[in-house]
Amino acid sequence: MTDLPPDPSRTTPVDPSRTATAPSRTAADPARTRSAAAPVLARDRRAYRLAVPPVSGVLRPRLALVCAVLFAAVVLAFCWGVAVGDVPLRLTDVAGVLLGGGDPGTRLIVEELRLPRALTALLVGIAFGVSGALFQTVTRNPLASPDMVGITQGAGAVVVAGIVLGWDGGLGTQALGLLGALGAALVVYLLAWKRGTTGYRIVLVGIGVAWICTSVTDYLMARGERFQAGSALGWLVGNLNGRTWEHIGPLAAAMAVCLPAALLLGRLTRTLQLGDDVARGLGTRVQPVRIAVLLCGVVLVAFGTAAAGPIAFVALAAPQIAQRLAATPWPPPFAAGLTGALMVLVSDLIARQVMADTELPVGVVTGVLGAPVLLWLLIRANRAGSGG
């Protein structure tokens, strides 16, 4: 059979103008899409551009508000920590001394006895918080922190070896802790290298190195004498007792170099979260950027550990708390640093006040407070199907 041509009299004519102007039912209206998405973008972030200096970027109002609230809380906790002691001081007296006033007796108590400890807690908390944010951003793993990948364990193993075996070579615990942290970081990176590194391999190798360093530390503690083991244990749990101005100088110098570098590398670290292939397509040099970010994080946690010991869970919990408060897709370094400082300052206050006539090491309190955060992260990863 042959197909017959259609009958023109039975065919309904189609208006070309209607066909050209009628919108498709399946296609989305761009104007409606833009109008619906605009309020969401306006609430979450706002773009800005400055003529002088020529700078442009995105301002996140919620992140700015969270940072302001955290900063106020850190200042209050800092002043409160300086005011608490055998001779109680008023917050106004502490503020007066910090601003350059106050009577000689109050100035002596604040500047010589209490301010070094409070400043050490502040700087160590910032260093651990920022370092944890850098590690978690680069590895794209919320469980990746210097506590989990062997950095602090390496510092602890070298310090205990110097105390028990006498291998200090005239160096103090600060220098030994710094060498141990840098050495552990180098070992982790070299073992994770296979035509480049990935966050997944860094985490796996880091966990193995952490357990090796922990085993070495336990062996040295069992071998050492009672006095040596007690001295090493006091440093291993993280301690702010007896901090002086000598502990602050090296840490402050390291932070003056690494914190601006970490903030400048922020845009490049966010491209790494998209994956190595996408980051290369966007023009990011993946391996040099990863090395630079990890180096900043390692230096921060190395000097922080050298100043106060490996204070547990701050580098792990602070970035995750800051990320939830700011509602960002990655841990914000500045907010994470403020959160870490607040955690250490408040934990130090609790450690000094929870037991009469006894000052607990600050690492004991952060461990008690940080362990539930670790369990929550593991449970959340398991429910999401990424926990194994």
Side-chain angles (χ1 to χ4, degrees), residues 120 124 128 147 152 155-156 159 173-174 177 232-240 243 247 301-312 314 362-363:
T120 303
V124 167
F128 282 5
D147 310 89
T152 56
V159 169
T173 56
Q174 289 196 52
L233 182 62
W235 185 88
L236 282 174
V237 295
N239 207 331
L240 293 173
R243 299 303 100 174
H247 298 87
V301 76
F303 278 91
T305 303
I311 301 178
V314 176
V362 67

Side-chain angles (χ1 to χ4, degrees), residues 32-286:
R32 291 184 179 179
T33 304
R34 286 194 298 267
S35 63
V40 178
L41 294 177
R43 288 194 303 266
D44 292 344
R45 50 197 171 182
R46 296 179 181 179
Y48 67 90
R49 183 178 181 182
L50 302 178
V52 179
V55 176
S56 62
V58 176
L59 176 64
R60 297 178 179 270
R62 177 166 176 170
L63 177 59
L65 178 61
V66 168
C67 290
V69 173
L70 288 174
F71 180 79
V74 167
V75 172
L76 178 60
F78 180 84
C79 295
W80 191 4
V82 176
V84 171
D86 294 334
V87 181
L89 300 175
R90 295 179 298 179
L91 292 179
T92 55
D93 296 335
V94 174
V97 173
L98 295 179
L99 295 176
D103 59 88
T106 304
R107 293 183 64 88
L108 176 64
I109 295 174
V110 172
E111 294 180 352
E112 299 298 330
L113 301 179
R114 300 180 184 176
L115 192 57
R117 176 174 184 149
L119 277 177
T120 303
L122 175 67
L123 297 179
V124 167
I126 294 175
F128 282 5
V130 174
S131 177
L134 294 178
F135 271 83
Q136 292 176 8
T137 301
V138 169
T139 59
R140 293 183 292 166
N141 192 328
L143 297 176
S145 71
D147 310 89
M148 306 296 291
V149 298
I151 307 301
T152 56
Q153 288 84 355
V158 174
V159 169
V160 173
I163 294 175
V164 174
L165 302 178
W167 292 353
D168 54 356
L171 302 176
T173 56
Q174 289 196 52
L176 292 175
L178 178 62
L179 293 176
L182 294 177
L186 181 61
V187 170
V188 170
Y189 197 84
L190 291 178
L191 293 179
W193 181 271
K194 183 180 180 182
R195 291 176 295 180
T197 60
T198 62
Y200 182 75
R201 288 204 299 269
I202 290 175
V203 172
L204 289 181
V205 173
I207 292 175
V209 172
W211 279 107
I212 293 174
C213 294
T214 301
S215 300
V216 172
T217 302
D218 293 340
Y219 168 75
L220 293 173
M221 292 284 290
R223 176 178 174 177
E225 299 179 357
R226 181 177 300 178
F227 176 78
Q228 294 174 334
S231 177
L233 182 62
W235 185 88
L236 282 174
V237 295
N239 207 331
L240 293 173
N241 298 334
R243 299 303 100 174
T244 63
W245 290 104
E246 297 178 356
H247 298 87
I248 299 175
L251 177 58
M255 293 179 64
V257 175
C258 293
L259 287 183
L263 295 178
L264 291 176
L265 291 170
R267 183 183 65 85
L268 298 178
T269 57
R270 288 193 289 273
T271 61
L272 292 180
Q273 289 185 316
L274 303 176
D276 292 355
D277 295 335
V278 176
R280 291 190 187 94
L282 295 175
T284 302
R285 302 177 63 185
V286 174

